[in-house]
């Protein structure tokens, strides 16, 4: 996935500009739309799948299958399409909401993944590097402060660190 990079002045303590890297909103929209389409498609084929599943004694989830069959027979098959669409939208929003974002300035780095936010000051970090697709920030004892798989391009992250004067490998 491609990244979105923006630089803007930071208002915190007169700090210099900040580089923010994240998955482009258009790519996030593709995730949501794609999963919505998958949900709709599953809703369309659900009656056929339920018909096939009735003959399979080994399949689990008999209760939910019966509920879906009852809904489909009383309200119509379109309800399965609507349920699929809603499930797809919710899954897409959930995935898009968990994508990582990194903000780098000369003074600090902030890594946001879902609702988790990790902040490291420049004084804590002696080296920023990548190891097996994971961003690694190390301290003066050469111990990992963080080892995180990000959803943004490795080269963009390392370039942003260098632009703000961080030591990298």
């Amino acid at each position: 996935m491609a990244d979105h990079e923006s630089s803007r002045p930071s208002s915190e303590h007169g700090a210099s500009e900040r580089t923010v890297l994240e998955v482009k909103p258009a790519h996030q929209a593709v995730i949501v739309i794609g999963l919505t389409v998958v949900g709709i498609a599953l809703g369309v084929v659900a009656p056929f799948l339920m018909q096939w599943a009735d003959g399979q004694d080994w399949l689990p989830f008999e209760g939910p299958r019966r509920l879906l069959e009852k809904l489909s027979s009383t309200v119509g098959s379109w309800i399965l399409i609507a349920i699929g669409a809603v499930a797809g939208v919710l899954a897409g929003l959930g995935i898009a909401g968990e994508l990582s974002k990194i903000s780098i300035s000369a003074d600090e780095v902030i890594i946001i993944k879902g609702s988790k936010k990790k902040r490291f000051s420049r004084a804590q970090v002696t080296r920023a590097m990548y190891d097996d697709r994971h961003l690694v920030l190390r301290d003066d004892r050469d111990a990992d402060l963080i080892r995180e798989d990000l959803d943004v391009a490795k080269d963009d992250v390392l370039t942003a660190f260098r632009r703000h004067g961080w030591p990298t490998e």
Side-chain angles (χ1 to χ4, degrees), residues 116-129:
K116 297 177 184 172
K117 187 181 206 179
K118 298 173 184 171
R119 181 184 312 249
F120 300 94
S121 73
R122 176 65 186 87
Q124 291 176 282
V125 179
T126 58
R127 190 168 35 148
M129 58 184 260

Side-chain angles (χ1 to χ4, degrees), residues 18-160:
R18 174 175 300 282
T19 303
V20 177
L21 299 167
E22 62 186 336
V23 175
K24 290 181 180 179
H27 292 155
Q28 293 179 29
V30 167
I31 291 169
V32 174
I33 292 167
L35 287 174
T36 302
V37 169
V38 168
I40 290 169
L42 286 174
V44 169
V45 299
F48 306 107
L49 290 175
M50 288 186 306
Q51 201 172 43
W52 172 80
D54 280 342
Q56 311 300 318
D57 294 334
W58 56 272
L59 280 176
F61 308 114
E62 186 174 337
R65 280 192 324 217
R66 297 287 173 240
L67 175 63
L68 289 174
E69 285 175 2
K70 187 174 181 178
L71 275 173
S72 178
S73 65
T74 57
V75 181
S77 292
W78 64 268
I79 193 71
L80 300 176
I81 296 169
I83 290 170
V86 169
V89 167
L90 292 175
L93 290 173
I95 290 171
E98 290 297 316
L99 294 174
S100 59
K101 176 179 178 178
I102 184 168
S103 172
I104 304 166
S105 72
D107 302 327
E108 68 180 0
V109 59
I110 301 169
I111 300 168
I112 301 169
K113 206 160 192 181
S115 62
K116 297 177 184 172
K117 187 181 206 179
K118 298 173 184 171
R119 181 184 312 249
F120 300 94
S121 73
R122 176 65 186 87
Q124 291 176 282
V125 179
T126 58
R127 190 168 35 148
M129 58 184 260
Y130 265 82
D131 180 31
D132 192 32
R133 294 184 31 162
H134 293 88
L135 172 66
V136 179
L137 300 179
R138 294 217 166 129
D139 65 10
D140 59 353
R141 296 173 295 133
D142 205 31
D144 291 358
L145 295 170
I146 190 171
R147 181 175 289 268
E148 191 76 49
D149 186 16
L150 300 178
D151 300 309
V152 294
K154 166 187 169 180
D155 292 338
D156 292 343
V157 173
L158 290 176
T159 299

